[in-house]
Amino acid sequence: MSITISLYENLARYKRNQTDGLTEIVQQALAIPELVAEVLTFVRHHQANVAVRAMWVIRQIADTAPEHLAAHTQQILGLLPEAHLWEVKAELCHILPVLPLTKKQAESAIAFFKTCQSDASKIVRAWSLNGLHELSKSVPGIRPLVIDLLQQALQ
Protein backbone atom coordinates (compact mmCIF):
# COMPACT_ATOMS: atom_id res chain seq x y z
CA MET A 1 0.00 0.00 0.00
CA SER A 2 2.83 2.44 0.76
CA ILE A 3 4.20 1.95 -2.76
CA THR A 4 0.81 2.96 -4.20
CA ILE A 5 0.60 6.05 -2.00
CA SER A 6 4.12 7.22 -2.83
CA LEU A 7 3.54 6.36 -6.49
CA TYR A 8 0.39 8.47 -6.55
CA GLU A 9 2.13 11.33 -4.75
CA ASN A 10 4.96 11.29 -7.27
CA LEU A 11 2.58 11.15 -10.25
CA ALA A 12 0.32 13.90 -8.88
CA ARG A 13 3.09 16.23 -7.73
CA TYR A 14 3.83 17.88 -11.07
CA LYS A 15 2.03 19.13 -14.16
CA ARG A 16 1.16 16.65 -16.88
CA ASN A 17 3.94 17.84 -19.21
CA GLN A 18 6.66 17.53 -16.58
CA THR A 19 8.72 14.38 -16.21
CA ASP A 20 10.25 15.29 -12.84
CA GLY A 21 10.52 12.22 -10.59
CA LEU A 22 9.39 9.77 -13.26
CA THR A 23 12.77 8.29 -14.12
CA GLU A 24 12.90 6.87 -10.60
CA ILE A 25 9.50 5.23 -11.09
CA VAL A 26 10.69 3.70 -14.37
CA GLN A 27 13.77 2.29 -12.63
CA GLN A 28 11.65 0.89 -9.78
CA ALA A 29 9.19 -0.69 -12.23
CA LEU A 30 12.03 -2.30 -14.14
CA ALA A 31 13.39 -3.74 -10.88
CA ILE A 32 9.98 -4.69 -9.41
CA PRO A 33 7.76 -6.02 -12.22
CA GLU A 34 4.63 -5.93 -10.01
CA LEU A 35 4.89 -2.14 -10.05
CA VAL A 36 4.08 -2.05 -13.79
CA ALA A 37 0.51 -3.17 -13.12
CA GLU A 38 0.21 -0.51 -10.43
CA VAL A 39 1.43 2.23 -12.74
CA LEU A 40 -1.04 1.06 -15.39
CA THR A 41 -3.95 1.55 -12.98
CA PHE A 42 -3.04 5.24 -12.73
CA VAL A 43 -3.40 5.70 -16.51
CA ARG A 44 -7.16 5.59 -15.86
CA HIS A 45 -6.95 8.22 -13.11
CA HIS A 46 -9.41 11.13 -13.27
CA GLN A 47 -6.61 13.68 -12.81
CA ALA A 48 -5.06 14.32 -16.22
CA ASN A 49 -1.59 14.98 -14.83
CA VAL A 50 -1.58 11.62 -13.04
CA ALA A 51 -2.84 9.71 -16.09
CA VAL A 52 -0.42 11.36 -18.51
CA ARG A 53 2.60 10.97 -16.23
CA ALA A 54 1.74 7.30 -15.60
CA MET A 55 1.48 6.73 -19.35
CA TRP A 56 4.88 8.37 -19.82
CA VAL A 57 6.35 5.84 -17.38
CA ILE A 58 4.80 2.95 -19.34
CA ARG A 59 6.22 4.38 -22.57
CA GLN A 60 9.70 4.51 -21.06
CA ILE A 61 9.38 0.89 -19.99
CA ALA A 62 8.26 -0.01 -23.52
CA ASP A 63 11.30 1.77 -24.96
CA THR A 64 13.74 0.27 -22.45
CA ALA A 65 12.43 -3.23 -21.76
CA PRO A 66 9.26 -4.05 -23.71
CA GLU A 67 9.32 -7.59 -22.32
CA HIS A 68 8.23 -6.09 -18.97
CA LEU A 69 4.92 -5.14 -20.61
CA ALA A 70 4.17 -8.48 -22.26
CA ALA A 71 2.24 -9.78 -19.24
CA HIS A 72 0.16 -6.58 -19.29
CA THR A 73 -0.80 -6.62 -22.96
CA GLN A 74 -4.50 -7.20 -22.29
CA GLN A 75 -4.56 -4.47 -19.65
CA ILE A 76 -2.92 -2.04 -22.10
CA LEU A 77 -5.36 -2.98 -24.85
CA GLY A 78 -8.16 -2.29 -22.36
CA LEU A 79 -7.00 1.34 -22.30
CA LEU A 80 -7.68 1.85 -26.02
CA PRO A 81 -11.42 2.61 -25.87
CA GLU A 82 -10.93 4.73 -22.74
CA ALA A 83 -8.04 6.88 -24.00
CA HIS A 84 -9.33 10.42 -24.26
CA LEU A 85 -6.25 12.50 -23.51
CA TRP A 86 -4.10 13.17 -26.55
CA GLU A 87 -0.90 12.47 -24.60
CA VAL A 88 -2.16 9.02 -23.58
CA LYS A 89 -3.16 8.22 -27.17
CA ALA A 90 0.22 9.38 -28.49
CA GLU A 91 2.07 7.19 -25.98
CA LEU A 92 -0.13 4.21 -26.85
CA CYS A 93 0.87 4.69 -30.48
CA HIS A 94 4.48 4.09 -29.42
CA ILE A 95 3.73 1.19 -27.10
CA LEU A 96 1.36 -0.98 -29.14
CA PRO A 97 3.88 -1.98 -31.83
CA VAL A 98 6.33 -3.41 -29.27
CA LEU A 99 3.77 -5.64 -27.58
CA PRO A 100 3.53 -9.34 -28.48
CA LEU A 101 0.05 -9.25 -30.01
CA THR A 102 -2.14 -12.13 -31.09
CA LYS A 103 -4.03 -11.71 -34.37
CA LYS A 104 -7.15 -10.54 -32.52
CA GLN A 105 -5.14 -8.14 -30.37
CA ALA A 106 -3.41 -6.76 -33.47
CA GLU A 107 -6.85 -6.11 -34.96
CA SER A 108 -7.73 -4.05 -31.87
CA ALA A 109 -4.51 -2.08 -32.23
CA ILE A 110 -5.19 -1.48 -35.94
CA ALA A 111 -8.73 -0.28 -35.14
CA PHE A 112 -7.25 2.11 -32.56
CA PHE A 113 -4.74 3.49 -35.07
CA LYS A 114 -7.51 3.96 -37.63
CA THR A 115 -9.68 5.79 -35.08
CA CYS A 116 -6.74 8.03 -34.23
CA GLN A 117 -6.70 9.26 -37.83
CA SER A 118 -9.75 11.40 -37.06
CA ASP A 119 -8.39 12.72 -33.76
CA ALA A 120 -8.31 16.48 -33.23
CA SER A 121 -4.61 16.27 -32.33
CA LYS A 122 -2.20 16.35 -35.26
CA ILE A 123 0.37 14.69 -33.00
CA VAL A 124 -1.94 11.73 -32.38
CA ARG A 125 -2.71 11.44 -36.09
CA ALA A 126 0.98 11.48 -37.01
CA TRP A 127 2.08 9.03 -34.29
CA SER A 128 -0.77 6.67 -35.12
CA LEU A 129 0.51 6.43 -38.70
CA ASN A 130 3.98 5.74 -37.36
CA GLY A 131 2.60 3.16 -34.93
CA LEU A 132 0.71 1.43 -37.70
CA HIS A 133 3.86 1.40 -39.84
CA GLU A 134 5.85 -0.11 -36.97
CA LEU A 135 3.12 -2.69 -36.37
CA SER A 136 3.20 -3.63 -40.05
CA LYS A 137 6.74 -4.95 -39.54
CA SER A 138 5.39 -7.74 -37.33
CA VAL A 139 1.82 -8.16 -38.59
CA PRO A 140 1.69 -9.52 -42.12
CA GLY A 141 -0.76 -8.14 -44.62
CA ILE A 142 -1.41 -4.65 -43.26
CA ARG A 143 1.04 -2.73 -45.44
CA PRO A 144 -1.69 -1.85 -47.98
CA LEU A 145 -3.71 -0.30 -45.15
CA VAL A 146 -0.67 1.69 -44.02
CA ILE A 147 -0.08 2.97 -47.55
CA ASP A 148 -3.76 3.84 -47.96
CA LEU A 149 -3.87 5.79 -44.68
CA LEU A 150 -0.63 7.59 -45.53
CA GLN A 151 -2.04 8.64 -48.89
CA GLN A 152 -5.24 9.86 -47.22
CA ALA A 153 -3.23 11.82 -44.66
CA LEU A 154 -1.22 13.50 -47.42
CA GLN A 155 -4.39 14.72 -49.12
Side-chain angles (χ1 to χ4, degrees):
M1 184 69 166
S2 63
I3 290 177
T4 301
I5 292 170
S6 64
L7 178 58
Y8 169 76
E9 288 171 352
N10 199 333
L11 292 171
R13 184 175 295 136
Y14 299 99
K15 294 180 182 178
R16 67 202 261 179
N17 63 342
Q18 292 178 296
T19 59
D20 301 61
L22 297 182
T23 303
E24 294 81 13
I25 296 174
V26 172
Q27 294 306 315
Q28 288 175 349
L30 291 171
I32 308 167
E34 298 80 29
L35 192 56
V36 174
E38 246 179 286
V39 174
L40 276 167
T41 64
F42 285 106
V43 174
R44 289 185 164 95
H45 202 275
H46 67 278
Q47 288 176 255
N49 64 319
V50 173
V52 169
R53 287 169 51 82
M55 196 72 234
W56 187 89
V57 169
I58 298 301
R59 159 81 186 284
Q60 299 310 305
I61 294 168
D63 288 350
T64 308
E67 65 278 4
H68 282 67
L69 297 179
H72 307 283
T73 298
Q74 201 56 46
Q75 190 177 2
I76 293 168
L77 290 171
L79 298 170
L80 302 182
E82 301 171 16
H84 301 292
L85 300 168
W86 73 266
E87 298 98 328
V88 171
K89 291 178 189 178
E91 298 295 16
L92 284 166
C93 290
H94 291 282
I95 294 166
L96 291 172
V98 303
L99 296 175
L101 302 174
T102 65
K103 184 178 178 183
K104 185 175 180 171
Q105 291 170 331
E107 289 171 3
S108 295
I110 292 165
F112 173 75
F113 289 132
K114 288 166 85 174
T115 301
C116 286
Q117 285 307 293
S118 59
D119 197 86
S121 168
K122 290 179 183 177
I123 294 170
V124 170
R125 293 193 308 262
W127 282 118
S128 68
L129 287 173
N130 182 72
L132 193 56
H133 166 71
E134 291 299 320
L135 189 63
S136 74
K137 295 176 182 177
S138 62
V139 177
I142 64 169
R143 276 214 191 259
L145 172 64
V146 175
I147 292 168
D148 183 49
L149 288 174
L150 279 171
Q151 287 173 340
Q152 288 177 32
L154 288 172
Q155 294 174 0

PDB file of all heavy atoms in Angstrom, residues 70-102:
ATOM      1  N   ALA A  70       4.832  -7.352 -21.606  1.00  0.00           N
ATOM      2  CA  ALA A  70       4.170  -8.485 -22.258  1.00  0.00           C
ATOM      3  C   ALA A  70       3.043  -9.068 -21.413  1.00  0.00           C
ATOM      4  O   ALA A  70       1.958  -9.358 -21.929  1.00  0.00           O
ATOM      5  CB  ALA A  70       5.194  -9.567 -22.609  1.00  0.00           C
ATOM      6  N   ALA A  71       3.265  -9.212 -20.124  1.00  0.00           N
ATOM      7  CA  ALA A  71       2.240  -9.782 -19.238  1.00  0.00           C
ATOM      8  C   ALA A  71       1.051  -8.840 -19.048  1.00  0.00           C
ATOM      9  O   ALA A  71       0.017  -9.243 -18.534  1.00  0.00           O
ATOM     10  CB  ALA A  71       2.854 -10.116 -17.879  1.00  0.00           C
ATOM     11  N   HIS A  72       1.202  -7.600 -19.483  1.00  0.00           N
ATOM     12  CA  HIS A  72       0.161  -6.582 -19.290  1.00  0.00           C
ATOM     13  C   HIS A  72      -0.497  -6.175 -20.606  1.00  0.00           C
ATOM     14  O   HIS A  72      -1.194  -5.162 -20.664  1.00  0.00           O
ATOM     15  CB  HIS A  72       0.762  -5.360 -18.600  1.00  0.00           C
ATOM     16  CG  HIS A  72       1.493  -5.697 -17.344  1.00  0.00           C
ATOM     17  ND1 HIS A  72       0.843  -5.983 -16.162  1.00  0.00           N
ATOM     18  CD2 HIS A  72       2.821  -5.840 -17.096  1.00  0.00           C
ATOM     19  CE1 HIS A  72       1.747  -6.261 -15.237  1.00  0.00           C
ATOM     20  NE2 HIS A  72       2.941  -6.196 -15.770  1.00  0.00           N
ATOM     21  N   THR A  73      -0.273  -6.966 -21.642  1.00  0.00           N
ATOM     22  CA  THR A  73      -0.797  -6.619 -22.962  1.00  0.00           C
ATOM     23  C   THR A  73      -2.306  -6.414 -22.936  1.00  0.00           C
ATOM     24  O   THR A  73      -2.812  -5.419 -23.466  1.00  0.00           O
ATOM     25  CB  THR A  73      -0.419  -7.705 -23.996  1.00  0.00           C
ATOM     26  OG1 THR A  73       1.008  -7.769 -24.083  1.00  0.00           O
ATOM     27  CG2 THR A  73      -0.990  -7.391 -25.362  1.00  0.00           C
ATOM     28  N   GLN A  74      -3.036  -7.324 -22.322  1.00  0.00           N
ATOM     29  CA  GLN A  74      -4.499  -7.197 -22.291  1.00  0.00           C
ATOM     30  C   GLN A  74      -4.937  -5.955 -21.522  1.00  0.00           C
ATOM     31  O   GLN A  74      -5.870  -5.262 -21.921  1.00  0.00           O
ATOM     32  CB  GLN A  74      -5.133  -8.466 -21.698  1.00  0.00           C
ATOM     33  CG  GLN A  74      -6.576  -8.643 -22.073  1.00  0.00           C
ATOM     34  CD  GLN A  74      -6.806  -8.661 -23.594  1.00  0.00           C
ATOM     35  OE1 GLN A  74      -6.111  -9.315 -24.355  1.00  0.00           O
ATOM     36  NE2 GLN A  74      -7.801  -7.908 -24.023  1.00  0.00           N
ATOM     37  N   GLN A  75      -4.241  -5.658 -20.442  1.00  0.00           N
ATOM     38  CA  GLN A  75      -4.555  -4.468 -19.653  1.00  0.00           C
ATOM     39  C   GLN A  75      -4.300  -3.201 -20.480  1.00  0.00           C
ATOM     40  O   GLN A  75      -5.089  -2.249 -20.434  1.00  0.00           O
ATOM     41  CB  GLN A  75      -3.714  -4.462 -18.373  1.00  0.00           C
ATOM     42  CG  GLN A  75      -4.112  -3.415 -17.368  1.00  0.00           C
ATOM     43  CD  GLN A  75      -3.296  -3.498 -16.078  1.00  0.00           C
ATOM     44  OE1 GLN A  75      -2.402  -4.328 -15.940  1.00  0.00           O
ATOM     45  NE2 GLN A  75      -3.602  -2.626 -15.143  1.00  0.00           N
ATOM     46  N   ILE A  76      -3.230  -3.196 -21.246  1.00  0.00           N
ATOM     47  CA  ILE A  76      -2.920  -2.039 -22.096  1.00  0.00           C
ATOM     48  C   ILE A  76      -3.956  -1.907 -23.205  1.00  0.00           C
ATOM     49  O   ILE A  76      -4.444  -0.809 -23.490  1.00  0.00           O
ATOM     50  CB  ILE A  76      -1.486  -2.152 -22.658  1.00  0.00           C
ATOM     51  CG1 ILE A  76      -0.475  -2.014 -21.507  1.00  0.00           C
ATOM     52  CG2 ILE A  76      -1.240  -1.090 -23.733  1.00  0.00           C
ATOM     53  CD1 ILE A  76       0.949  -2.379 -21.857  1.00  0.00           C
ATOM     54  N   LEU A  77      -4.328  -3.020 -23.812  1.00  0.00           N
ATOM     55  CA  LEU A  77      -5.357  -2.975 -24.848  1.00  0.00           C
ATOM     56  C   LEU A  77      -6.693  -2.489 -24.281  1.00  0.00           C
ATOM     57  O   LEU A  77      -7.473  -1.843 -24.988  1.00  0.00           O
ATOM     58  CB  LEU A  77      -5.521  -4.346 -25.507  1.00  0.00           C
ATOM     59  CG  LEU A  77      -4.348  -4.789 -26.378  1.00  0.00           C
ATOM     60  CD1 LEU A  77      -4.523  -6.240 -26.798  1.00  0.00           C
ATOM     61  CD2 LEU A  77      -4.189  -3.889 -27.589  1.00  0.00           C
ATOM     62  N   GLY A  78      -6.945  -2.774 -23.017  1.00  0.00           N
ATOM     63  CA  GLY A  78      -8.157  -2.289 -22.365  1.00  0.00           C
ATOM     64  C   GLY A  78      -8.210  -0.773 -22.247  1.00  0.00           C
ATOM     65  O   GLY A  78      -9.282  -0.187 -22.066  1.00  0.00           O
ATOM     66  N   LEU A  79      -7.058  -0.122 -22.359  1.00  0.00           N
ATOM     67  CA  LEU A  79      -7.002   1.335 -22.304  1.00  0.00           C
ATOM     68  C   LEU A  79      -7.477   1.984 -23.606  1.00  0.00           C
ATOM     69  O   LEU A  79      -7.876   3.156 -23.600  1.00  0.00           O
ATOM     70  CB  LEU A  79      -5.567   1.797 -22.021  1.00  0.00           C
ATOM     71  CG  LEU A  79      -4.939   1.383 -20.706  1.00  0.00           C
ATOM     72  CD1 LEU A  79      -3.452   1.718 -20.707  1.00  0.00           C
ATOM     73  CD2 LEU A  79      -5.642   2.061 -19.538  1.00  0.00           C
ATOM     74  N   LEU A  80      -7.418   1.253 -24.713  1.00  0.00           N
ATOM     75  CA  LEU A  80      -7.684   1.851 -26.021  1.00  0.00           C
ATOM     76  C   LEU A  80      -9.034   2.551 -26.117  1.00  0.00           C
ATOM     77  O   LEU A  80      -9.086   3.715 -26.532  1.00  0.00           O
ATOM     78  CB  LEU A  80      -7.520   0.812 -27.141  1.00  0.00           C
ATOM     79  CG  LEU A  80      -6.143   0.144 -27.238  1.00  0.00           C
ATOM     80  CD1 LEU A  80      -6.103  -0.812 -28.419  1.00  0.00           C
ATOM     81  CD2 LEU A  80      -5.030   1.160 -27.310  1.00  0.00           C
ATOM     82  N   PRO A  81     -10.141   1.906 -25.744  1.00  0.00           N
ATOM     83  CA  PRO A  81     -11.420   2.606 -25.875  1.00  0.00           C
ATOM     84  C   PRO A  81     -11.607   3.743 -24.862  1.00  0.00           C
ATOM     85  O   PRO A  81     -12.441   4.612 -25.056  1.00  0.00           O
ATOM     86  CB  PRO A  81     -12.464   1.511 -25.648  1.00  0.00           C
ATOM     87  CG  PRO A  81     -11.762   0.369 -25.045  1.00  0.00           C
ATOM     88  CD  PRO A  81     -10.298   0.521 -25.322  1.00  0.00           C
ATOM     89  N   GLU A  82     -10.802   3.728 -23.799  1.00  0.00           N
ATOM     90  CA  GLU A  82     -10.930   4.731 -22.745  1.00  0.00           C
ATOM     91  C   GLU A  82      -9.984   5.907 -22.917  1.00  0.00           C
ATOM     92  O   GLU A  82     -10.086   6.893 -22.180  1.00  0.00           O
ATOM     93  CB  GLU A  82     -10.643   4.084 -21.392  1.00  0.00           C
ATOM     94  CG  GLU A  82     -11.544   2.934 -21.050  1.00  0.00           C
ATOM     95  CD  GLU A  82     -11.085   2.199 -19.806  1.00  0.00           C
ATOM     96  OE1 GLU A  82     -10.257   2.743 -19.039  1.00  0.00           O
ATOM     97  OE2 GLU A  82     -11.553   1.076 -19.596  1.00  0.00           O
ATOM     98  N   ALA A  83      -9.054   5.828 -23.840  1.00  0.00           N
ATOM     99  CA  ALA A  83      -8.040   6.876 -24.000  1.00  0.00           C
ATOM    100  C   ALA A  83      -8.674   8.126 -24.603  1.00  0.00           C
ATOM    101  O   ALA A  83      -9.096   8.118 -25.757  1.00  0.00           O
ATOM    102  CB  ALA A  83      -6.897   6.371 -24.875  1.00  0.00           C
ATOM    103  N   HIS A  84      -8.749   9.171 -23.786  1.00  0.00           N
ATOM    104  CA  HIS A  84      -9.335  10.420 -24.264  1.00  0.00           C
ATOM    105  C   HIS A  84      -8.311  11.557 -24.318  1.00  0.00           C
ATOM    106  O   HIS A  84      -8.486  12.494 -25.080  1.00  0.00           O
ATOM    107  CB  HIS A  84     -10.517  10.825 -23.380  1.00  0.00           C
ATOM    108  CG  HIS A  84     -11.591   9.792 -23.357  1.00  0.00           C
ATOM    109  ND1 HIS A  84     -12.366   9.501 -24.451  1.00  0.00           N
ATOM    110  CD2 HIS A  84     -11.999   8.950 -22.377  1.00  0.00           C
ATOM    111  CE1 HIS A  84     -13.221   8.535 -24.151  1.00  0.00           C
ATOM    112  NE2 HIS A  84     -13.012   8.172 -22.886  1.00  0.00           N
ATOM    113  N   LEU A  85      -7.278  11.465 -23.527  1.00  0.00           N
ATOM    114  CA  LEU A  85      -6.247  12.501 -23.513  1.00  0.00           C
ATOM    115  C   LEU A  85      -5.285  12.274 -24.668  1.00  0.00           C
ATOM    116  O   LEU A  85      -4.826  11.147 -24.894  1.00  0.00           O
ATOM    117  CB  LEU A  85      -5.481  12.466 -22.188  1.00  0.00           C
ATOM    118  CG  LEU A  85      -6.323  12.700 -20.931  1.00  0.00           C
ATOM    119  CD1 LEU A  85      -5.520  12.348 -19.690  1.00  0.00           C
ATOM    120  CD2 LEU A  85      -6.801  14.140 -20.877  1.00  0.00           C
ATOM    121  N   TRP A  86      -4.964  13.339 -25.379  1.00  0.00           N
ATOM    122  CA  TRP A  86      -4.102  13.171 -26.553  1.00  0.00           C
ATOM    123  C   TRP A  86      -2.741  12.605 -26.175  1.00  0.00           C
ATOM    124  O   TRP A  86      -2.163  11.817 -26.926  1.00  0.00           O
ATOM    125  CB  TRP A  86      -3.984  14.484 -27.338  1.00  0.00           C
ATOM    126  CG  TRP A  86      -3.147  15.548 -26.708  1.00  0.00           C
ATOM    127  CD1 TRP A  86      -3.560  16.573 -25.912  1.00  0.00           C
ATOM    128  CD2 TRP A  86      -1.727  15.695 -26.825  1.00  0.00           C
ATOM    129  NE1 TRP A  86      -2.501  17.342 -25.508  1.00  0.00           N
ATOM    130  CE2 TRP A  86      -1.363  16.831 -26.069  1.00  0.00           C
ATOM    131  CE3 TRP A  86      -0.740  14.987 -27.494  1.00  0.00           C
ATOM    132  CZ2 TRP A  86      -0.047  17.264 -25.961  1.00  0.00           C
ATOM    133  CZ3 TRP A  86       0.574  15.417 -27.385  1.00  0.00           C
ATOM    134  CH2 TRP A  86       0.906  16.552 -26.626  1.00  0.00           C
ATOM    135  N   GLU A  87      -2.216  12.972 -25.003  1.00  0.00           N
ATOM    136  CA  GLU A  87      -0.905  12.469 -24.602  1.00  0.00           C
ATOM    137  C   GLU A  87      -0.936  10.960 -24.387  1.00  0.00           C
ATOM    138  O   GLU A  87       0.014  10.252 -24.738  1.00  0.00           O
ATOM    139  CB  GLU A  87      -0.429  13.145 -23.306  1.00  0.00           C
ATOM    140  CG  GLU A  87      -0.242  14.646 -23.401  1.00  0.00           C
ATOM    141  CD  GLU A  87      -1.435  15.426 -22.862  1.00  0.00           C
ATOM    142  OE1 GLU A  87      -2.574  14.937 -22.969  1.00  0.00           O
ATOM    143  OE2 GLU A  87      -1.224  16.535 -22.345  1.00  0.00           O
ATOM    144  N   VAL A  88      -2.024  10.464 -23.807  1.00  0.00           N
ATOM    145  CA  VAL A  88      -2.158   9.023 -23.585  1.00  0.00           C
ATOM    146  C   VAL A  88      -2.254   8.305 -24.924  1.00  0.00           C
ATOM    147  O   VAL A  88      -1.594   7.283 -25.140  1.00  0.00           O
ATOM    148  CB  VAL A  88      -3.385   8.725 -22.682  1.00  0.00           C
ATOM    149  CG1 VAL A  88      -3.668   7.226 -22.635  1.00  0.00           C
ATOM    150  CG2 VAL A  88      -3.158   9.276 -21.277  1.00  0.00           C
ATOM    151  N   LYS A  89      -3.035   8.836 -25.838  1.00  0.00           N
ATOM    152  CA  LYS A  89      -3.160   8.224 -27.168  1.00  0.00           C
ATOM    153  C   LYS A  89      -1.813   8.201 -27.880  1.00  0.00           C
ATOM    154  O   LYS A  89      -1.438   7.187 -28.481  1.00  0.00           O
ATOM    155  CB  LYS A  89      -4.170   8.991 -28.018  1.00  0.00           C
ATOM    156  CG  LYS A  89      -5.590   8.862 -27.567  1.00  0.00           C
ATOM    157  CD  LYS A  89      -6.479   9.704 -28.464  1.00  0.00           C
ATOM    158  CE  LYS A  89      -7.883   9.793 -27.950  1.00  0.00           C
ATOM    159  NZ  LYS A  89      -8.715  10.662 -28.810  1.00  0.00           N
ATOM    160  N   ALA A  90      -1.086   9.309 -27.821  1.00  0.00           N
ATOM    161  CA  ALA A  90       0.217   9.376 -28.494  1.00  0.00           C
ATOM    162  C   ALA A  90       1.186   8.340 -27.921  1.00  0.00           C
ATOM    163  O   ALA A  90       1.907   7.673 -28.671  1.00  0.00           O
ATOM    164  CB  ALA A  90       0.796  10.783 -28.380  1.00  0.00           C
ATOM    165  N   GLU A  91       1.188   8.186 -26.599  1.00  0.00           N
ATOM    166  CA  GLU A  91       2.074   7.190 -25.984  1.00  0.00           C
ATOM    167  C   GLU A  91       1.654   5.772 -26.363  1.00  0.00           C
ATOM    168  O   GLU A  91       2.490   4.908 -26.625  1.00  0.00           O
ATOM    169  CB  GLU A  91       2.110   7.350 -24.463  1.00  0.00           C
ATOM    170  CG  GLU A  91       2.646   8.685 -23.969  1.00  0.00           C
ATOM    171  CD  GLU A  91       4.111   8.965 -24.272  1.00  0.00           C
ATOM    172  OE1 GLU A  91       4.722   8.298 -25.119  1.00  0.00           O
ATOM    173  OE2 GLU A  91       4.647   9.877 -23.632  1.00  0.00           O
ATOM    174  N   LEU A  92       0.353   5.525 -26.420  1.00  0.00           N
ATOM    175  CA  LEU A  92      -0.134   4.207 -26.846  1.00  0.00           C
ATOM    176  C   LEU A  92       0.328   3.884 -28.265  1.00  0.00           C
ATOM    177  O   LEU A  92       0.633   2.735 -28.579  1.00  0.00           O
ATOM    178  CB  LEU A  92      -1.655   4.134 -26.741  1.00  0.00           C
ATOM    179  CG  LEU A  92      -2.208   3.960 -25.333  1.00  0.00           C
ATOM    180  CD1 LEU A  92      -3.703   4.241 -25.300  1.00  0.00           C
ATOM    181  CD2 LEU A  92      -1.902   2.575 -24.794  1.00  0.00           C
ATOM    182  N   CYS A  93       0.401   4.903 -29.104  1.00  0.00           N
ATOM    183  CA  CYS A  93       0.869   4.693 -30.478  1.00  0.00           C
ATOM    184  C   CYS A  93       2.315   4.199 -30.516  1.00  0.00           C
ATOM    185  O   CYS A  93       2.710   3.484 -31.435  1.00  0.00           O
ATOM    186  CB  CYS A  93       0.733   5.982 -31.294  1.00  0.00           C
ATOM    187  SG  CYS A  93      -0.978   6.445 -31.652  1.00  0.00           S
ATOM    188  N   HIS A  94       3.092   4.566 -29.519  1.00  0.00           N
ATOM    189  CA  HIS A  94       4.481   4.094 -29.420  1.00  0.00           C
ATOM    190  C   HIS A  94       4.559   2.707 -28.803  1.00  0.00           C
ATOM    191  O   HIS A  94       5.443   1.920 -29.146  1.00  0.00           O
ATOM    192  CB  HIS A  94       5.308   5.052 -28.559  1.00  0.00           C
ATOM    193  CG  HIS A  94       5.549   6.375 -29.171  1.00  0.00           C
ATOM    194  ND1 HIS A  94       6.491   6.590 -30.140  1.00  0.00           N
ATOM    195  CD2 HIS A  94       4.943   7.570 -28.961  1.00  0.00           C
ATOM    196  CE1 HIS A  94       6.477   7.851 -30.503  1.00  0.00           C
ATOM    197  NE2 HIS A  94       5.540   8.475 -29.797  1.00  0.00           N
ATOM    198  N   ILE A  95       3.664   2.428 -27.880  1.00  0.00           N
ATOM    199  CA  ILE A  95       3.725   1.193 -27.096  1.00  0.00           C
ATOM    200  C   ILE A  95       3.163  -0.012 -27.840  1.00  0.00           C
ATOM    201  O   ILE A  95       3.744  -1.099 -27.811  1.00  0.00           O
ATOM    202  CB  ILE A  95       2.981   1.392 -25.752  1.00  0.00           C
ATOM    203  CG1 ILE A  95       3.732   2.419 -24.905  1.00  0.00           C
ATOM    204  CG2 ILE A  95       2.817   0.078 -25.006  1.00  0.00           C
ATOM    205  CD1 ILE A  95       2.934   2.953 -23.731  1.00  0.00           C
ATOM    206  N   LEU A  96       2.036   0.162 -28.510  1.00  0.00           N
ATOM    207  CA  LEU A  96       1.356  -0.983 -29.138  1.00  0.00           C
ATOM    208  C   LEU A  96       2.252  -1.799 -30.080  1.00  0.00           C
ATOM    209  O   LEU A  96       2.206  -3.030 -30.028  1.00  0.00           O
ATOM    210  CB  LEU A  96       0.099  -0.503 -29.876  1.00  0.00           C
ATOM    211  CG  LEU A  96      -1.031  -0.009 -28.975  1.00  0.00           C
ATOM    212  CD1 LEU A  96      -2.141   0.622 -29.819  1.00  0.00           C
ATOM    213  CD2 LEU A  96      -1.571  -1.134 -28.114  1.00  0.00           C
ATOM    214  N   PRO A  97       3.065  -1.172 -30.916  1.00  0.00           N
ATOM    215  CA  PRO A  97       3.884  -1.984 -31.835  1.00  0.00           C
ATOM    216  C   PRO A  97       4.935  -2.872 -31.175  1.00  0.00           C
ATOM    217  O   PRO A  97       5.398  -3.832 -31.783  1.00  0.00           O
ATOM    218  CB  PRO A  97       4.565  -0.942 -32.730  1.00  0.00           C
ATOM    219  CG  PRO A  97       3.689   0.248 -32.653  1.00  0.00           C
ATOM    220  CD  PRO A  97       3.146   0.240 -31.251  1.00  0.00           C
ATOM    221  N   VAL A  98       5.303  -2.586 -29.932  1.00  0.00           N
ATOM    222  CA  VAL A  98       6.334  -3.410 -29.274  1.00  0.00           C
ATOM    223  C   VAL A  98       5.738  -4.541 -28.451  1.00  0.00           C
ATOM    224  O   VAL A  98       6.481  -5.370 -27.920  1.00  0.00           O
ATOM    225  CB  VAL A  98       7.304  -2.566 -28.404  1.00  0.00           C
ATOM    226  CG1 VAL A  98       7.968  -1.484 -29.228  1.00  0.00           C
ATOM    227  CG2 VAL A  98       6.613  -1.999 -27.180  1.00  0.00           C
ATOM    228  N   LEU A  99       4.420  -4.584 -28.347  1.00  0.00           N
ATOM    229  CA  LEU A  99       3.772  -5.645 -27.578  1.00  0.00           C
ATOM    230  C   LEU A  99       3.651  -6.920 -28.403  1.00  0.00           C
ATOM    231  O   LEU A  99       3.453  -6.846 -29.619  1.00  0.00           O
ATOM    232  CB  LEU A  99       2.373  -5.201 -27.137  1.00  0.00           C
ATOM    233  CG  LEU A  99       2.293  -4.022 -26.178  1.00  0.00           C
ATOM    234  CD1 LEU A  99       0.835  -3.641 -25.950  1.00  0.00           C
ATOM    235  CD2 LEU A  99       2.982  -4.332 -24.859  1.00  0.00           C
ATOM    236  N   PRO A 100       3.749  -8.077 -27.758  1.00  0.00           N
ATOM    237  CA  PRO A 100       3.531  -9.335 -28.478  1.00  0.00           C
ATOM    238  C   PRO A 100       2.020  -9.564 -28.642  1.00  0.00           C
ATOM    239  O   PRO A 100       1.348  -9.995 -27.714  1.00  0.00           O
ATOM    240  CB  PRO A 100       4.158 -10.375 -27.545  1.00  0.00           C
ATOM    241  CG  PRO A 100       4.013  -9.775 -26.178  1.00  0.00           C
ATOM    242  CD  PRO A 100       4.110  -8.290 -26.361  1.00  0.00           C
ATOM    243  N   LEU A 101       1.487  -9.214 -29.789  1.00  0.00           N
ATOM    244  CA  LEU A 101       0.048  -9.245 -30.010  1.00  0.00           C
ATOM    245  C   LEU A 101      -0.392 -10.492 -30.762  1.00  0.00           C
ATOM    246  O   LEU A 101       0.254 -10.900 -31.731  1.00  0.00           O
ATOM    247  CB  LEU A 101      -0.387  -8.007 -30.811  1.00  0.00           C
ATOM    248  CG  LEU A 101      -0.068  -6.644 -30.203  1.00  0.00           C
ATOM    249  CD1 LEU A 101      -0.438  -5.532 -31.178  1.00  0.00           C
ATOM    250  CD2 LEU A 101      -0.780  -6.467 -28.874  1.00  0.00           C
ATOM    251  N   THR A 102      -1.500 -11.064 -30.327  1.00  0.00           N
ATOM    252  CA  THR A 102      -2.142 -12.128 -31.095  1.00  0.00           C
ATOM    253  C   THR A 102      -2.823 -11.466 -32.296  1.00  0.00           C
ATOM    254  O   THR A 102      -2.902 -10.227 -32.371  1.00  0.00           O
ATOM    255  CB  THR A 102      -3.213 -12.853 -30.257  1.00  0.00           C
ATOM    256  OG1 THR A 102      -4.262 -11.919 -29.954  1.00  0.00           O
ATOM    257  CG2 THR A 102      -2.630 -13.439 -28.976  1.00  0.00           C
TER     258      THR A 102
END
